Amino acid sequence: MNPSHFLENLPVAPLKLAALDSVTALGKSIDKQIVSSRKQKLKKYPKTLSTSGYEQSTYLAKFELPRFGTGEAKGSLLESVRGTDLFILSDVVNYNISYSIYGKENHKSPDDHFQDLKRIIGACSGHPHRINVIMPFLYESRQHRRNNLESLDCALALQELSKMGVKNIITFDAHDPKVQNAIPLCGFDNFFTTLQFLRSFFDAVKNAIVDSEHMMIISPDEGGMNRAVYYATVLGLDIGMFYKRRDYSTIVNGKNPIVAHEFLGNSVKGKDVFILDDMIASGESILDVASELKKRNAHNIYIAATYGLFTEGLEKFDDAFQKGLISQIFTTNLTYQSPELLSKPYYSCVDLSKYIALIIDTINHDTSVTDITNPTAKIQKLLQKHK
């Protein structure tokens, strides 16, 4: 937020953060960023009654999510959140959190995390001035449309949160942002991470030559073309796309298997290529794309995905790196990152804690997020600095 607007746009209510167990580390980092930012702002302005409580040593709320032996649970707030602008953070795909059920260890699924989110909302008893949910990986976002007789899980989840009193839902690089049509009267912000990815890329690959003769942007499927077009436009690069040819007569693990990846675009021979996607799940599809690009004599292959899920482990990525198929993988800390992943020589983490802190601070002041959602000018400055 622009500091010059500080006195014109005071917070709508005192700020509180509830970082669930799935985002403990990220929550602490965001809290640290906000504490530091507000401390710096208040150095420029005298403390008045209107800014009382603006500066805190921490904004993290205390709560518990205890479980009974049967696996049942409850949410309990350990301090008052009455009249606050409450932001609840949750990573619904963090598989590393476990609990005991009948004496056996059970890892939390997305359903468990979503239930915990609702428990904390329920524990508030409607007392906060406003409830905001930050759910980077939108719950059941891949089940966003109906084909024949199927459930619309994401739409139902959003409607449930809206009915529980949530005023704003904040997510990042949603699989299909049109799911917000399910809650037309509820705030829904879908933020993109282009600037943060490019910063990390330029830090990791300092000798990268960013022009149309040496680099190309690749979309691994038709669904990611909007993302790829934006990157290509702001960087002045050519774009290529693969489309997935599927066998619609067969269903394997709930989906039609991919028969082949067909490429549309100019030659990638001798060029560095930047493959962009919203997530890496098993990794099979994106590594197939990388293999096809290598067959076309691409030089370095960089992969950037907002969510690094790696649902089938890292062995295939280790093998691809050793064979020279990929040079670097970039994903964010919006979802859980295992120590094994962080130790890989080909992996770079894109830290978004400062970005989320800025979003929270801006929304808490009820000011426009336009500067955050349109980082083109900042990207151009970053690109000129790199060159």
Side-chain angles (χ1 to χ4, degrees):
M1 189 187 72
N2 190 335
S4 65
H5 296 159
F6 174 74
L7 294 179
E8 300 172 15
N9 301 282
L10 292 173
V12 296
L15 176 64
K16 276 293 180 183
L17 308 178
L20 302 191
D21 56 3
S22 57
V23 287
T24 301
L26 179 60
K28 289 180 179 178
S29 182
I30 293 169
D31 178 57
K32 184 178 179 180
Q33 294 284 351
I34 297 176
V35 169
S36 176
S37 173
R38 292 196 167 185
K39 186 176 182 179
Q40 292 298 318
K41 288 176 185 176
L42 279 178
K43 285 183 178 180
K44 299 181 179 181
Y45 304 97
K47 290 187 178 181
T48 65
L49 182 62
S50 59
T51 59
S52 178
Y54 186 79
E55 183 183 6
Q56 300 286 336
S57 60
T58 181
Y59 297 92
L60 291 170
K62 297 178 181 178
F63 62 89
E64 289 181 341
L65 285 163
R67 286 188 178 263
F68 303 100
T70 58
E72 299 168 285
K74 66 177 180 179
S76 301
L77 289 170
L78 304 181
E79 62 180 272
S80 174
V81 293
R82 186 182 295 274
T84 64
D85 195 14
L86 179 64
F87 288 79
I88 308 175
L89 293 82
S90 176
D91 173 15
V92 297
V93 288
N94 187 341
Y95 62 90
N96 194 49
I97 308 297
S98 62
Y99 60 92
S100 178
I101 176 171
Y102 289 95
K104 298 179 181 179
E105 184 183 28
N106 189 46
H107 285 263
K108 287 187 179 180
S109 70
D111 293 341
D112 291 311
H113 288 301
F114 187 65
Q115 286 299 118
D116 283 346
L117 170 63
K118 292 193 295 180
R119 288 180 178 112
I120 293 301
I121 296 172
C124 293
S125 301
H127 291 159
H129 176 78
R130 184 171 64 179
I131 298 177
N132 313 272
V133 169
I134 301 179
M135 192 187 302
F137 188 97
L138 200 60
Y139 175 71
E140 295 290 0
S141 56
R142 284 188 283 183
Q143 184 52 25
H144 58 97
R145 63 187 178 190
R146 172 172 284 157
N147 293 315
N148 300 319
L149 297 176
E150 293 181 343
S151 58
L152 285 171
D153 296 54
C154 188
L156 289 172
L158 293 177
Q159 289 179 351
E160 191 170 6
L161 292 178
S162 179
K163 290 176 182 176
M164 293 184 74
V166 174
K167 297 300 181 184
N168 295 306
I169 295 174
I170 299 157
T171 190
F172 295 82
D173 205 359
H175 190 67
D176 186 350
K178 291 193 291 292
V179 295
Q180 66 184 290
N181 293 335
I183 48 170
L185 300 180
C186 182
F188 185 96
D189 289 303
N190 180 37
F191 292 97
F192 295 94
T193 54
T194 312
L195 176 61
Q196 289 71 28
F197 266 111
L198 291 176
R199 278 177 178 160
S200 295
F201 175 71
F202 291 149
D203 285 343
V205 191
K206 298 185 184 301
N207 61 346
I209 303 176
V210 186
D211 60 38
S212 57
E213 293 183 8
H214 299 89
M215 186 173 286
M216 194 168 178
I217 298 295
I218 301 294
S219 175
D221 54 42
E222 57 274 25
M225 275 301 291
N226 287 340
R227 183 186 307 106
V229 167
Y230 181 75
Y231 271 85
T233 301
V234 296
L235 296 176
L237 304 178
D238 290 333
I239 190 171
M241 184 198 81
F242 283 85
Y243 71 89
K244 299 172 183 176
R245 189 149 51 87
R246 295 180 179 272
D247 178 6
Y248 288 99
S249 65
T250 307
I251 296 178
V252 178
N253 295 327
K255 57 186 178 181
N256 303 109
I258 299 170
V259 177
H261 289 87
E262 305 291 350
F263 181 68
L264 299 174
N266 295 329
S267 172
V268 298
K269 185 177 180 180
K271 295 182 179 180
D272 292 341
V273 295
F274 205 16
I275 306 175
L276 303 169
D277 211 349
D278 59 340
M279 71 180 75
I280 299 174
S282 67
E284 180 179 345
S285 178
I286 207 160
L287 289 179
D288 284 346
V289 167
S291 178
E292 290 295 325
L293 289 169
K294 274 298 183 183
K295 290 178 183 177
R296 292 167 171 78
N297 298 314
H299 187 214
N300 292 311
I301 295 179
Y302 304 103
I303 298 172
T306 307
Y307 303 106
L309 307 180
F310 302 102
T311 57
E312 294 182 6
L314 300 171
E315 291 80 5
K316 63 182 71 175
F317 294 94
D318 294 341
D319 185 56
F321 178 68
Q322 290 170 3
K323 291 180 179 178
L325 190 63
I326 59 174
S327 297
Q328 201 78 10
I329 295 177
F330 300 84
T331 71
T332 71
N333 60 342
L334 293 175
T335 52
Y336 171 71
Q337 300 163 296
S338 67
E340 181 187 8
L341 174 64
L342 292 171
S343 69
K344 297 299 181 182
Y346 54 81
Y347 179 71
S348 293
C349 170
V350 182
D351 184 6
L352 294 185
S353 57
K354 187 174 182 180
Y355 186 38
I356 298 174
L358 174 63
I359 292 169
I360 291 173
D361 205 21
T362 302
I363 293 176
N364 181 231
H365 283 79
D366 241 5
T367 53
S368 173
V369 296
T370 302
D371 291 341
I372 301 175
T373 55
N374 294 289
T376 304
K378 292 180 180 179
I379 291 174
Q380 290 302 320
K381 289 181 180 179
L382 181 67
L383 181 59
Q384 291 303 318
K385 183 179 179 181
H386 175 75
K387 288 183 177 180

